[in-house]
Amino acid sequence: MITRRFFANGADRRVFITIGLLLGAAIVVPILNIALPPDSAFHVPSYMVALVGKYLCFALLALALDLVWGYCGILSLGHGAFFALGGYAMGMYLMRQIGDRGVYGNPILPDFMVFLNWKELPWFWYGFDQFWFAAIMVMLVPGLLAFVFGWFAFRSRVTGVYLSIITQAMTYALLLAFFRNDMGFGGNNGLTDFKDILGFNVQANTTRSAIFAASAVALALGVFITWAIINSKYGKLLIAVRDAESRTRFIGWRPENVKLFAFTVSAVMAGIAGALYVPQVGIINPGEFAPANSIEVVIWTAVGGRGTIVGPIVGALLVNAGKSWFTGVLPEYWLFALGGLFIATTLFLPRGVIGMWDHWMATHRERKAAALPPSAGAPAAPTPQQREWQASATGGAPEPQPAE
Amino acid sequence: MSKSGTILYLDGVSVSFDGFRAINNLSLVLDRGEMRAIIGPNGAGKTTMMDIVTGKTKPDSGEVYFNGEIDLTRHDEADIAMMGIGRKFQKPTVFESHTVEDNLMLSLKGPRSIFPALFHRKTADEARRIDDILGIIRLGDKRHMLGANLSHGQKQWLEIGMLLAQDPKLLLVDEPVAGMTDAETEETARLLKDIAKTHSVVVVEHDMHFVRELGVKVTCLHEGSVLSEGTLDFVSADDRVVEVYLGR
């Protein structure tokens, strides 16, 4: 019964294959990196582990955006802010792990504070020497910001372009704030020069592999949670709010609460992605708040296919792999390519790669079904299979409304 | 005028938008269990009146009472919907990417907070309610179809079904037969008459054949207030009604 529910239709099957692949990668990739000698054909080089680990964090960020944009129609142009806040929380933990090994050798104060002549730790740095505390903050800070921001925005019935603009303003304001030295987050330079995480050297191959595995597991968990949310009654409500907000209001639901929940969950997911990203790249600075970063996340999601669970992951991996390749070959043209990609996606692939694939498969099957003799086909009631085709032809790849 | 015994009571209601008086000293009383048809030329204030009753628009002045005791001007849309006023929009509005069944499931009476919805499992009772409603709105064989794939008339019925699922005391139905074929119009009249046996209903409609078919008391609005009220024959014989419809 349960397995039947799990494998009820194609989209669900794809979600579970994705989770399986991610969990498999979490085990296999570290083994191939650590246990095999570097000259083996199956050896995964360390730079590759770090690179793909970074992409997995981006994929989790894109999935978080998809939950609000693809399923609820909230085009957030500020999701990079939640990612960066999660990253800063992790960065603060890593800074405090440096201890007296910094340039100035101060056991309590990070280097930049000594440099600025600060005498004691600001109150908001308390507790970050503990991993559990930092782990809670990674989720709490982005979640709280999203909750407060969303509470005001959704209650005032700010929607469409206006909402997109204020999310963009939010991340820009944070960018400016974090650039300031007196904010106490390292200003321009951000937080870097990390040494240990949980007592292990962040630079070590084993640690890097472990963080890769953690990223893959976190993404798998994110996929599962998103899937569970989307398939609940609440998930249906989320889509209902996207398609006909006033209708939900006139049957007694409060769309602002529906949106607020999704927005908060999404921000927490983005924060976790940021926290896993920082130890892999070894730095967090205010540049992560840049509006352009948040817009890039929108592009990943659009390319992969918004309103699907696997789409944003595929999009984030494809675009970032493309970016790594492109910036190696033709560095000065990457931004043009990215812009062109977004325009091309909007014009020719409005449903993204995954949505297009579904659409293509559905028409292919329909053509096949139409070719069958009439006695075999056309039962009165649609079979679950047919329902799934219908769903994937229209509902499964919904046409998100343009921002009103 | 006494409010007790009424399901809907509007007295001296006025509202203006940018100086334009959409509703002008409107008074309208609907008894419990009554079905009322509201007619009137374009811009007479029919839809604005529904906006006021459902909490979308706040009146500048006047009293709006539901069930003789609840002041509707103090509540918002979701509250009012939960009290038992269902509204069908002029343009049929259903959840297009959901199946007919899911459309009804989301509308069923029940808790409206987020966490119960997250962990909701469909009960046998709910399944029975949905089957009942599908029978009433004659969409039993379309239950797995997506809202987007329904015909215009079927969307209208589904929306009426969504109102019924809320188990409201009062239904406000805005132009239920706009764009329907003659056969669909007849079917809809039958459907609304069925519903009126157990609910209070306000129907706004332009189609006079349809209003005649309903066979209920008619209120004609003009420039935001009541112009004439009575049987359809009485109202259509009223010189002022003829005048606003045909022009001077």
Side-chain angles (χ1 to χ4, degrees), chain A residues 68-132:
Chain A
V68 289
W69 185 33
Y71 290 100
C72 196
I74 305 167
L75 173 54
S76 166
L77 293 180
H79 251 55
F82 305 124
F83 182 81
L85 285 173
Y88 263 97
M90 177 56 94
M92 286 161 82
Y93 163 75
L94 295 171
M95 284 307 269
R96 297 215 51 190
Q97 294 306 298
I98 297 173
D100 57 8
R101 287 169 294 173
V103 179
Y104 297 108
N106 188 315
I108 303 288
L109 293 188
D111 278 350
F112 74 88
M113 291 186 191
V114 182
F115 181 75
L116 290 171
N117 262 326
W118 291 21
K119 294 296 167 234
E120 56 186 52
L121 205 63
W123 60 269
F124 48 82
W125 277 76
Y126 291 160
F128 278 97
D129 50 335
Q130 302 292 326
F131 183 78
W132 63 266

Side-chain angles (χ1 to χ4, degrees), chain B:
Chain B
M1 222 186 303
S2 159
K3 293 184 198 105
S4 64
T6 65
I7 188 82
L8 188 63
Y9 176 95
L10 281 82
D11 190 28
V13 176
S14 295
V15 67
S16 34
F17 303 116
D18 298 328
F20 168 70
R21 286 218 142 188
I23 297 284
N24 190 7
N25 199 17
L26 172 71
S27 299
L28 183 92
V29 176
L30 190 72
D31 291 327
R32 272 196 198 118
E34 188 187 342
M35 170 145 75
R36 177 77 60 90
I38 294 186
I39 60 170
N42 284 329
K46 303 180 299 275
T47 301
T48 311
M49 183 208 75
M50 290 206 169
D51 284 347
I52 290 173
V53 173
T54 51
K56 192 180 173 199
T57 304
K58 298 279 170 237
D60 298 334
S61 61
E63 290 186 322
V64 185
Y65 280 87
F66 172 58
N67 223 355
E69 57 194 18
I70 303 167
D71 183 355
L72 290 179
T73 59
R74 295 172 178 277
H75 298 277
D76 69 357
E77 296 101 318
D79 271 347
I80 291 173
M82 291 307 283
M83 286 171 199
I85 298 184
R87 175 179 184 180
K88 199 201 86 59
F89 295 110
Q90 197 167 340
K91 175 173 173 277
T93 313
V94 298
F95 304 132
E96 306 230 323
S97 26
H98 287 319
T99 61
V100 168
E101 207 175 315
D102 283 346
N103 266 281
L104 293 175
M105 194 263 293
L106 285 174
S107 316
L108 277 183
K109 192 179 185 176
R112 288 289 193 258
S113 19
I114 302 304
F115 291 98
L118 262 179
F119 301 103
H120 179 84
R121 286 264 170 277
K122 193 162 144 191
T123 63
D125 191 44
E126 284 178 336
R128 204 160 41 240
R129 279 281 295 148
I130 290 176
D131 288 345
D132 285 351
I133 293 164
L134 283 172
I136 296 172
I137 59 172
R138 295 136 170 104
L139 290 178
D141 54 337
K142 307 269 188 318
R143 61 162 63 214
H144 296 302
M145 247 166 92
L146 291 178
N149 298 341
L150 295 178
S151 75
H152 181 80
Q154 289 163 342
K155 279 185 195 170
Q156 300 270 30
W157 291 336
L158 174 56
E159 200 177 0
I160 293 173
M162 288 163 74
L163 301 197
L164 289 178
Q166 289 177 71
D167 195 18
K169 299 189 185 77
L170 170 66
L171 282 90
L172 305 176
V173 188
D174 204 347
E175 301 203 9
V177 297
M180 278 191 176
T181 63
D182 288 350
E184 284 174 329
T185 303
E186 264 175 47
E187 191 78 349
T188 308
R190 243 192 318 262
L191 173 61
L192 283 176
K193 279 196 273 190
D194 270 357
I195 292 170
K197 284 177 193 154
T198 45
H199 301 79
S200 309
V201 185
V202 173
V203 185
V204 165
E205 190 47 72
H206 278 301
D207 185 331
M208 288 303 161
H209 292 288
F210 176 72
V211 174
R212 187 166 299 280
E213 209 135 314
L214 292 178
V216 295
K217 191 171 167 185
V218 174
T219 298
C220 178
L221 295 188
H222 177 57
E223 289 177 353
S225 42
V226 176
L227 187 66
S228 180
E229 203 166 77
T231 63
L232 183 61
D233 289 329
F234 173 81
V235 169
S236 47
D238 190 322
D239 286 342
R240 290 173 305 162
V241 174
V242 175
E243 200 171 285
V244 302
Y245 265 98
L246 299 180
R248 275 152 252 229

Side-chain angles (χ1 to χ4, degrees), chain A residues 78-383:
Chain A
H79 251 55
F82 305 124
F83 182 81
L85 285 173
Y88 263 97
M90 177 56 94
M92 286 161 82
Y93 163 75
L94 295 171
M95 284 307 269
R96 297 215 51 190
Q97 294 306 298
I98 297 173
D100 57 8
R101 287 169 294 173
V103 179
Y104 297 108
N106 188 315
I108 303 288
L109 293 188
D111 278 350
F112 74 88
M113 291 186 191
V114 182
F115 181 75
L116 290 171
N117 262 326
W118 291 21
K119 294 296 167 234
E120 56 186 52
L121 205 63
W123 60 269
F124 48 82
W125 277 76
Y126 291 160
F128 278 97
D129 50 335
Q130 302 292 326
F131 183 78
W132 63 266
F133 183 83
I136 291 173
M137 287 301 139
V138 158
M139 295 184 273
L140 191 69
V141 173
L144 201 65
L145 175 68
F147 185 84
V148 173
F149 181 90
W151 198 86
F152 285 109
F154 301 139
R155 198 142 302 238
S156 321
R157 300 195 184 170
V158 181
T159 52
V161 194
Y162 303 100
L163 189 77
S164 302
I165 291 171
I166 60 169
T167 53
Q168 178 101 94
M170 174 191 74
T171 193
Y172 192 62
L174 285 167
L175 168 81
L176 296 180
F178 274 75
F179 259 125
R180 296 165 57 92
N181 276 333
D182 51 5
M183 273 285 283
F185 294 104
N188 201 357
N189 299 318
L191 312 174
T192 187
D193 213 9
F194 307 134
K195 302 271 191 274
D196 291 344
I197 180 167
L198 288 169
F200 301 99
N201 180 358
V202 262
Q203 307 285 352
N205 273 350
T206 43
T207 318
R208 282 179 172 268
S209 287
I211 300 174
F212 171 91
S215 305
V217 171
L219 181 55
L221 209 63
V223 168
F224 179 77
I225 289 173
T226 309
W227 173 84
I229 289 177
I230 295 310
N231 281 286
S232 70
K233 185 179 172 186
Y234 167 79
K236 295 199 162 112
L237 187 60
L238 199 63
I239 293 169
V241 168
R242 177 191 72 192
D243 291 350
E245 183 171 337
S246 60
R247 179 76 272 170
T248 57
R249 191 171 272 135
F250 284 106
I251 54 175
W253 295 98
R254 293 192 177 276
E256 54 271 25
N257 294 354
V258 175
K259 291 178 180 179
L260 189 56
F261 179 81
F263 198 60
T264 309
V265 169
S266 167
V268 170
M269 275 165 66
I272 293 171
L276 288 163
Y277 171 79
V278 166
Q280 301 191 68
V281 294
I283 183 168
I284 173 80
N285 62 29
E288 295 297 333
F289 285 106
N293 280 20
S294 298
I295 293 171
E296 214 171 298
V297 184
V298 172
I299 299 178
W300 305 336
T301 311
V303 167
R306 60 199 147 155
T308 64
I309 291 179
V310 180
I313 297 171
V314 172
L317 297 181
L318 275 182
V319 177
N320 280 296
K323 183 182 187 172
S324 296
W325 177 78
F326 218 106
T327 45
V329 186
L330 292 164
E332 58 271 45
Y333 293 110
W334 164 243
L335 281 177
F336 291 104
L338 188 67
L341 183 66
F342 193 42
I343 295 171
T345 307
T346 316
L347 287 180
F348 306 116
L349 283 177
R351 297 170 180 152
V353 175
I354 295 290
M356 214 52 213
W357 169 260
D358 281 349
H359 185 70
W360 185 79
M361 288 304 281
T363 37
H364 181 71
R365 280 199 203 117
E366 259 163 33
R367 210 169 294 148
K368 229 164 140 187
L372 285 175
S375 60
T383 63

